[in-house]
Amino acid sequence: QVHLVESGGGSVQAGDSLRLSCVAARQTFSLYTMGWFRHTPGKERELVASISWTEGRTKYADSVKGRFAISRDNAKNAVYLQMNSLRPEDTAVYSCATPAAPYTDYDSDFAFWGQGTQVTVSS
């Protein structure tokens, strides 16, 4: 089990920005892909963005490309999600996640999730 703690959610207006943070209690953090998922009741959990281990390759859902940016600070065991130009449809609980195994960035390999932080965007 990997302990993940998110922060930075809140209620904002459409067009505003938020920065989410996640800290992982994990040794050799840099060897693991990190991702951000979001979940809204009645919808499937969606992988919003991911960033691979040390090389830092990034992937984004089409719905957030050009608006969201994922980054990581391996020295702090942290991953961030900068969210710009927020829309009401971005409203969800956002959770960070990581695979059980290092050196993999397949979407299906995510195994551990944090409790999540609520993001609410009003029009």
Side-chain angles (χ1 to χ4, degrees):
Q1 186 69 27
V2 177
H3 190 53
L4 302 165
V5 180
E6 303 93 340
S7 61
S11 296
V12 297
Q13 297 287 319
D16 286 350
S17 298
L18 278 176
R19 188 189 192 216
L20 305 183
S21 300
C22 171
V23 177
R26 185 176 227 175
Q27 293 183 347
T28 60
F29 172 82
S30 65
L31 302 184
Y32 295 84
T33 290
M34 296 297 297
W36 284 97
F37 285 76
R38 65 185 180 188
H39 182 249
T40 303
K43 294 184 180 180
E44 286 191 11
R45 183 168 54 192
E46 177 186 21
L47 177 58
V48 174
S50 65
I51 184 166
S52 69
W53 65 99
T54 309
E55 295 176 5
R57 293 188 303 271
T58 58
K59 294 190 290 187
Y60 296 94
D62 288 342
S63 57
V64 306
K65 281 181 181 176
R67 299 188 299 122
F68 290 12
I70 188 170
S71 60
R72 65 190 297 159
D73 185 339
N74 291 330
K76 297 181 178 179
N77 277 25
V79 62
Y80 308 100
L81 186 67
Q82 178 67 43
M83 305 186 295
N84 300 325
S85 302
L86 283 162
R87 304 168 179 169
E89 54 264 38
D90 294 319
T91 295
V93 174
Y94 285 74
S95 301
C96 66
T98 189
Y103 306 121
T104 178
D105 61 354
Y106 290 107
D107 295 354
S108 58
D109 285 342
F110 286 97
F112 305 116
W113 284 265
Q115 290 295 311
T117 183
Q118 177 71 46
V119 172
T120 302
V121 185
S122 56
S123 57

